C-alpha cells in the first residue's frame, strides 16, 4: 500500500493505458492467491481473461448459516467491440443466453464453448442450458481515464491486501487499482469529500458472518461521497451501507453476495443520493431505502442490473421510523432473475409518511417469484406491522407511480396493496403500461391481486 502513488505506479498505469490504446479489451490481472475457476475459461480477442470463483446462493429460504455455491467472475476494461469466447469445462452447450437481453447479443454455442461479440462496456452474465447455476459474471468496465494522485490518496496496487478496518478521513481517497484484492472494510464517520474508487476488488470471503460482521463499505454521517468502479465479492454482511449521509454518488459498482443479510446497496436516512450503473446480486434486498432515525429524501437508483436470489429487488422499508421518506426513484432497472420476493415494494411497517415514490422502466427478464418462503408479488405496498417494527403507530403511503413495468418470461406474478386500517392507508397509486409476458394489463380483471380495503376507485388506477 502506498499513500502517494510514486514512479512505479505511474509507470504501471502508463503501460496499462498504452495497452488499452492498442486493444479493445484489457483483462484485469488477478493475484495468484485467488484460485482460478474450474467452471470456465474466458478469452477476449484471443487473450486469456483470468476467471475466479465467488460465493453465490441458490437457496430461497433464509437461514443464518446457508449453504452456498460458487459462480465464475471475470473483469476487464473494454473500450470498443471485441470477440468473447467462454469455454465451460465438462459441459456441452445445448443453449446459451447473454443477459441483459437488452444488449441484443445472440451467442453461438458449439461443443463446450459460447462465442459472441461485445460492443462495449457492460455488466453481463452468460448462462447455458437453461440454468442459473454456474453462470459467468463478466464485468467489462470502461477504461479509467487516470488514477488519483496526491498526499490524501491511499493506493492499493495489484495483489492481496489484508487491511482490517481502514478509517477514511475528510478529503481522503482510497484507490484500488485493477488487480488489487483488499480484504477488509472502509469506514468513515462525520467525514466530507471521501472517495473510494478504482477497478479493484473488496473481498469479504475471509470474514466470518457472525463473529466478524464486516460491512465492506460503511459510511455514516458523511457528506460529498463518491464510490466508483470497484467490485465487492462475498460480503460478510450488508455490502455498501450509507447511514445519515448526504450528497452521495455511487456509480459502476459490482456486487455479488451470498451469505445472510448480504443486502447490496442500503441507503438509511440519507438525502440526495444517486446510484447509477451498478450490478447487484445478493442474498437479501438488492437496492433498499430505510428510515431508521432520520428522514430520507431525494434518492435515485438508475440504470442498474440486478439478480435477486433472496428478498426484494427494489425496496423501501421495512424499517420506516423516519417522519418522512420521499422523492425516491427506481428507474431503468433490469432484473435478470427475480426468484423470491417482490420486485417493486414499499413495506411501511413503522410510522413514516412514505410519498412520491416512482418505479419506472423496470424489466424483469426471468420472473420466478415465490420460491421457498418467498411471495409472488411483482408490486407490493403495505402499511402493516412486521417483525422489524419498532413504533406503535403505523404510517401511510402516498403518491406512488409504477410506469413501464415489464415481465418477459417465467411465472405470471400477483400484485398486493394492503393497508392495515382506514387511518393508515395507501393512496394515489398509478400503474401505467404494465406488461406481463407480452400482454398489456389494462384493468384489474387481468391481475391476481390482494387489496385492503377492497377499493378499485380513484386512489388506485391502471392506465394503458
Amino acid at each position: 500500500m502506498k499513500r502517494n502513488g510514486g514512479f512505479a505506479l505511474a509507470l504501471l498505469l502508463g503501460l496499462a493505458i498504452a495497452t488499452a490504446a492498442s486493444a479493445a479489451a484489457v483483462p484485469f490481472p488477478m493475484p495468484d492467491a485467488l484460485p482460478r475457476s474450474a467452471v470456465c475459461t474466458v478469452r477476449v480477442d484471443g487473450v486469456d481473461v483470468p476467471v475466479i470463483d465467488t460465493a453465490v446462493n441458490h437457496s430461497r429460504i433464509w437461514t443464518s448459516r446457508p449453504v452456498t455455491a460458487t459462480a465464475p467472475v471475470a473483469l476487464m476494461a473494454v473500450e470498443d467491440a471485441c470477440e468473447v469466447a467462454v469455454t465451460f469445462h465438462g459441459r456441452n452447450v445445448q443453449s446459451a443466453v447473454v443477459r441483459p437481453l437488452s444488449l441484443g447479443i445472440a451467442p453461438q454455442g458449439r461443443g463446450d464453448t459460447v462465442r459472441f461479440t461485445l460492443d462495449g462496456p457492460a455488466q453481463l452474465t452468460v448462462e447455458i442450458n437453461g440454468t442459473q447455476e454456474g453462470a459467468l459474471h463478466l464485468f467489462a468496465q470502461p477504461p479509467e481515464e487516470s488514477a488519483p494522485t496526491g498526499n490524501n490518496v491511499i493506493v492499493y496496487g495489484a495483489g492481496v491486501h489484508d487491511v482490517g478496518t481502514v478509517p477514511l478521513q475528510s478529503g481522503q481517497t482510497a484507490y484500488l487499482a485493477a488487480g488489487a484484492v483488499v480484504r477488509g472494510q472502509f469506514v468513515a464517520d462525520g467525514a466530507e469529500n471521501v472517495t473510494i474508487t478504482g477497478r479493484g476488488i473488496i473481498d469479504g470471503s475471509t470474514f466470518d458472518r457472525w463473529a466478524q460482521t464486516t460491512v465492506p463499505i460503511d459510511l455514516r454521517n458523511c457528506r460529498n461521497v463518491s464510490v466508483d468502479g470497484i467490485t465487492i465479492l462475498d460480503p460478510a454482511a450488508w455490502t455498501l451501507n450509507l447511514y445519515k449521509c448526504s450528497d452521495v454518488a455511487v456509480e459502476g459498482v459490482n456486487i455479488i453476495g451470498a451469505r445472510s443479510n448480504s443486502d447490496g446497496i442500503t441507503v438509511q436516512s440519507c438525502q440526495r443520493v444517486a446510484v447509477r450503473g451498478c450490478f447487484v446480486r445478493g442474498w437479501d434486498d438488492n437496492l433498499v431505502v430505510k428510515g431508521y432515525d432520520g428522514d430520507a429524501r431525494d434518492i435515485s437508483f438508475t440504470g442498474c442490473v440486478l439478480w435477486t436470489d433472496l428478498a426484494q429487488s427494489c425496496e423501501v422499508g421495512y424499517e420506516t421510523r423516519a417522519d418522512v421518506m420521499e422523492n425516491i426513484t427506481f428507474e431503468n432497472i433490469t432484473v435478470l432473475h427475480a426468484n423470491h420476493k417482490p420486485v417493486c415494494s414499499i413495506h411501511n411497517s413503522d410510522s413514516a409518511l412514505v410519498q412520491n415514490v416512482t418505479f419506472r422502466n423496470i424489466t424483469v427478464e426471468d420472473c420466478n417469484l415465490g420460491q421457498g418462503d418467498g411471495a409472488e408479488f411483482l408490486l407490493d405496498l403495505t402499511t402493516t406491522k412486521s417483525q422489524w417494527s419498532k413504533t406503535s403507530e403505523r404510517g401511510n403511503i402516498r403518491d406512488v407511480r409504477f410506469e413501464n413495468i415489464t415481465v418477459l418470461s417465467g411465472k405470471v406474478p400477483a400484485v398486493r396493496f394492503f393497508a392495515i386500517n382506514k387511518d393508515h392507508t395507501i393512496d394515489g397509486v398509478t400503474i401505467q403500461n404494465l406488461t406481463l409476458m407480452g400482454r398489456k394489463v389494462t384493468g384489474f380483471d387481468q391481475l391476481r391481486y390482494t387489496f385492503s380495503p377492497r377499493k378499485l376507485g380513484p386512489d388506485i388506477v391502471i392506465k394503458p
Side-chain angles (χ1 to χ4, degrees):
M1 180 181 75
K2 293 187 176 182
R3 293 188 178 271
N4 293 304
F7 176 77
L9 177 63
L11 178 61
L12 177 62
L13 292 173
L15 290 172
I17 292 170
T19 302
S22 60
V26 178
F28 293 164
M30 287 292 170
D32 291 337
L34 297 183
R36 299 302 183 256
S37 174
V39 174
C40 65
T41 54
V42 176
R43 292 178 64 84
V44 179
D45 287 343
V47 177
D48 287 331
V49 179
V51 183
I52 60 173
D53 280 334
T54 192
V56 295
N57 198 329
H58 299 294
S59 57
R60 313 296 182 217
I61 298 176
W62 191 93
T63 176
S64 63
R65 299 283 183 182
V67 177
T68 60
T70 59
V73 181
L75 296 93
M76 61 185 183
V78 170
E79 194 165 20
D80 298 311
C82 54
E83 299 301 317
V84 180
V86 183
T87 299
F88 290 89
H89 303 305
R91 300 170 72 183
N92 185 49
V93 178
Q94 299 173 354
S95 64
V97 60
V98 175
R99 303 181 187 273
L101 300 176
S102 59
L103 294 173
I105 295 175
Q108 302 297 315
R110 182 176 181 181
D112 59 0
T113 300
V114 177
R115 302 180 187 274
F116 59 91
T117 300
L118 180 61
D119 290 334
Q123 298 146 311
L124 57 87
T125 64
V126 182
E127 305 165 22
I128 65 170
N129 301 341
T131 180
Q132 298 177 29
E133 297 184 10
L136 169 68
H137 299 67
L138 180 59
F139 300 137
Q141 299 179 264
E144 292 184 282
E145 294 182 2
S146 61
T149 59
N151 292 330
N152 285 327
V153 178
I154 306 172
V155 176
Y156 299 91
V160 177
H161 306 266
D162 292 300
V163 301
T165 296
V166 179
L168 297 176
Q169 308 301 321
S170 292
Q172 280 194 315
T173 293
Y175 174 66
L176 285 64
V181 176
V182 175
R183 289 173 172 162
Q185 64 176 164
F186 295 95
V187 302
D189 194 344
E192 298 183 1
N193 305 315
V194 170
T195 299
I196 302 171
T197 188
R199 296 292 187 264
I201 295 171
I202 301 177
D203 172 31
S205 64
T206 58
F207 297 97
D208 183 88
R209 167 63 187 93
W210 301 104
Q212 301 166 291
T213 304
T214 304
V215 177
I217 297 179
D218 195 3
L219 306 178
R220 299 170 177 267
N221 304 295
C222 293
R223 187 169 68 88
N224 293 335
V225 172
S226 174
V227 183
D228 177 81
I230 64 171
T231 295
I232 307 175
L233 302 179
D234 198 8
W238 289 2
T239 308
L240 199 166
N241 181 49
L242 304 172
Y243 173 77
K244 285 193 171 182
C245 294
S246 61
D247 303 298
V248 178
V250 179
E251 187 163 5
V253 172
N254 306 306
I255 294 170
I256 303 177
R259 289 183 281 175
S260 306
N261 309 108
S262 59
D263 299 58
I265 300 175
T266 306
V267 181
Q268 307 179 56
S269 300
C270 293
Q271 302 187 35
R272 299 181 300 282
V273 176
V275 177
R276 297 182 292 267
C278 294
F279 180 99
V280 180
R281 177 180 182 179
W283 207 62
D284 213 320
D285 301 332
N286 288 169
L287 309 174
V288 56
V289 179
K290 299 178 182 291
Y292 273 94
D293 52 2
D295 292 345
R297 57 170 51 92
D298 303 324
I299 297 165
S300 64
F301 302 90
T302 308
C304 295
V305 178
L306 311 179
W307 178 326
T308 314
D309 285 313
L310 195 84
Q312 285 80 209
S313 302
C314 303
E315 160 79 341
V316 179
Y318 279 82
E319 298 85 348
T320 53
R321 299 158 207 161
D323 290 331
V324 178
M325 302 173 68
E326 62 184 358
N327 306 333
I328 301 168
T329 302
F330 300 87
E331 186 170 20
N332 299 332
I333 306 292
T334 299
V335 183
L336 306 184
H337 299 283
N339 291 308
H340 191 237
K341 288 185 176 179
V343 172
C344 304
S345 52
I346 302 175
H347 295 126
N348 188 357
S349 70
D350 285 298
S351 56
L353 170 60
V354 181
Q355 62 183 359
N356 192 20
V357 180
T358 301
F359 301 88
R360 179 185 294 120
N361 300 338
I362 312 293
T363 298
V364 183
E365 294 190 356
D366 174 42
C367 180
N368 279 287
L369 297 169
Q371 296 182 52
D373 58 359
E376 295 184 355
F377 303 116
L378 176 71
L379 318 177
D380 192 24
L381 309 183
T382 64
T383 62
T384 58
K385 186 177 181 179
S386 75
Q387 67 187 88
W388 297 281
S389 296
K390 296 294 184 182
T391 62
S392 57
E393 279 292 311
R394 304 279 68 79
N396 292 276
I397 298 174
R398 300 279 185 271
D399 302 323
V400 180
R401 294 187 63 84
F402 299 98
E403 301 177 0
N404 305 327
I405 312 296
T406 303
V407 176
L408 297 180
S409 67
K411 298 187 301 185
V412 177
V415 171
R416 177 173 66 176
F417 301 152
F418 196 94
I420 192 170
N421 57 40
K422 63 181 180 62
D423 296 319
H424 304 97
T425 57
I426 300 167
D427 297 299
V429 178
T430 300
I431 304 172
Q432 185 167 12
N433 194 19
L434 170 63
T435 304
L436 304 179
M437 321 310 187
R439 182 187 185 192
K440 183 166 288 189
V441 175
T442 58
F444 290 105
D445 59 334
Q446 296 173 261
L447 287 173
R448 290 189 296 129
Y449 62 84
T450 298
F451 283 2
S452 179
R454 291 184 173 276
K455 176 175 60 176
L456 303 184
D459 292 327
I460 302 175
V461 298
I462 291 181
K463 295 181 180 181

